[in-house]
Amino acid sequence: MSAPAPGTLVLLRHGESVYNAENRFTGLLDVDLSDRGVHEAELAGAQLAAACAHDPSLAPHRVLTSPLVRASATAAIVAAALPGPPPLVPEWRLVERHYGAFTDDLRESVRAEYGETAYWEYRRSFDHRPPPVEEGSEAAARVADTFGRLPDAARSGMRRDTESLADVVHRLEPLWEATREALDRGENLLVVGHGNSLRAFVMLVDRLTAPEVQVLNVPTGIPLVHRFTRQTPDGGAHPGGKSRPGASLVPVHRGGRYLDADRAEAALADLEQRGGT
């Protein structure tokens, strides 16, 4: 009996948060959606629901979400608009990158303090970590509060002081493996995360290089659709139901396709102008 066709993966960055609106480093702080972010989540839900009506393969069986409220609230709003609705599954590995000493600071203040070169190296490089969060600071207390509400696996599996994007990729590898297996079984999934956790996740999905992920941006509130085919070690692609020994899932379109391409193009141009995700 032939295997089911690979499932569809939809990635969604949460709607704008109150800290996004203030241009602050949020990291592991648990902040709310802004009014605009709520609207972005509602729009994403309506667009995805309309797309599901035309193409049932887009309808998720499960919604995997970061437990941080800006992501989980987005996930709940979107899921409520979808057929089912699909269950929400918190996944701690999807939490945002720990920005260390930059946490809660305005981006322009960090740029002024550390200088242009260091600022961009910390923000966009693959393996540079920001300085550690200062013990005893208000930011450290708020980050500790977040850790206190995450499962034990998160407290033992994440750095407690600061993270590079490479660290985020490393903690997401087990989740991508579980996601890949679910997609291979034909399960459709919606994954709701953050700017940097989704950049890291896309690196795994699309097998991006470090230079490629450094320039990758992810706008808020616009679903990104990945479809897959099966490819054998000899390079042959086998779309649809047939699965051969050793076949692996590869994206049909590297980088995926935004559900609202025009809005994504405008949002990505704005992100680029403001320095990226």
Side-chain angles (χ1 to χ4, degrees):
M1 187 172 77
S2 62
T8 301
L9 175 66
V10 180
L11 304 179
L12 179 65
R13 183 183 176 191
H14 61 76
E16 180 192 71
S17 74
V18 292
Y19 267 31
N20 292 146
E22 295 176 3
N23 205 26
R24 289 183 181 274
F25 283 102
T26 315
L28 292 179
L29 300 186
D30 206 4
V31 302
D32 292 326
L33 293 173
S34 67
D35 290 342
R36 176 180 174 178
V38 172
H39 174 70
E40 287 178 339
E42 291 170 342
L43 181 58
Q47 290 180 330
L48 187 53
C52 291
H54 291 286
D55 181 359
S57 72
L58 287 170
H61 296 97
R62 288 183 292 149
V63 180
L64 312 182
T65 180
S66 159
L68 299 183
V69 69
R70 57 195 185 273
S72 61
T74 298
I77 291 169
V78 173
L82 299 178
L88 303 183
V89 181
E91 287 286 355
W92 67 265
R93 294 182 187 276
L94 286 168
V95 299
E96 181 57 299
R97 173 187 178 186
H98 187 347
Y99 261 113
F102 299 166
T103 302
D104 199 25
D105 284 348
L106 292 167
R107 293 186 179 188
E108 286 306 311
S109 298
V110 172
R111 180 185 290 187
E113 180 177 353
Y114 287 87
E116 198 76 11
T117 300
Y119 173 79
W120 289 111
E121 188 171 69
Y122 285 132
R123 274 206 64 201
R124 303 300 291 182
S125 71
F126 181 62
D127 51 11
H128 280 78
R129 300 182 182 111
V133 64
E134 183 181 349
E135 291 187 19
S137 65
E138 181 180 348
R142 293 176 66 187
V143 168
D145 179 68
T146 297
F147 271 114
R149 289 181 281 109
L150 294 177
D152 291 343
R155 290 191 288 274
S156 62
M158 287 180 63
R159 292 183 60 94
R160 302 292 293 269
D161 54 353
T162 184
E163 285 184 309
S164 66
L165 190 62
D167 294 324
V168 183
V169 170
H170 178 69
R171 68 165 148 94
L172 280 166
E173 285 172 345
L175 179 61
W176 165 236
E177 180 59 23
T179 301
R180 187 199 61 75
E181 291 173 358
L183 293 167
D184 201 32
R185 296 192 299 267
E187 188 173 358
N188 303 325
L189 297 172
L190 169 61
V191 173
V192 183
H194 306 265
N196 286 290
S197 63
L198 288 182
R199 288 175 66 218
F201 202 68
V202 169
M203 184 178 191
L204 296 169
V205 174
D206 289 314
R207 303 177 187 179
L208 301 183
T209 64
E212 286 175 322
V213 78
Q214 284 176 210
V215 297
L216 176 67
N217 290 313
V218 182
T220 56
I222 306 177
L224 176 62
V225 179
H226 274 80
R227 300 182 189 274
F228 297 88
T229 187
R230 293 187 175 94
Q231 189 173 75
T232 57
D234 62 7
H238 305 282
K242 293 188 177 180
S243 179
R244 299 187 182 183
S248 61
L249 291 187
V250 294
V252 173
H253 300 292
R254 197 165 183 257
R257 293 288 187 268
Y258 281 101
L259 205 56
D260 187 337
D262 291 339
R263 193 158 67 93
E265 182 179 5
L268 287 166
D270 180 61
L271 271 174
E272 182 70 24
Q273 187 176 26
R274 292 189 290 114
T277 302

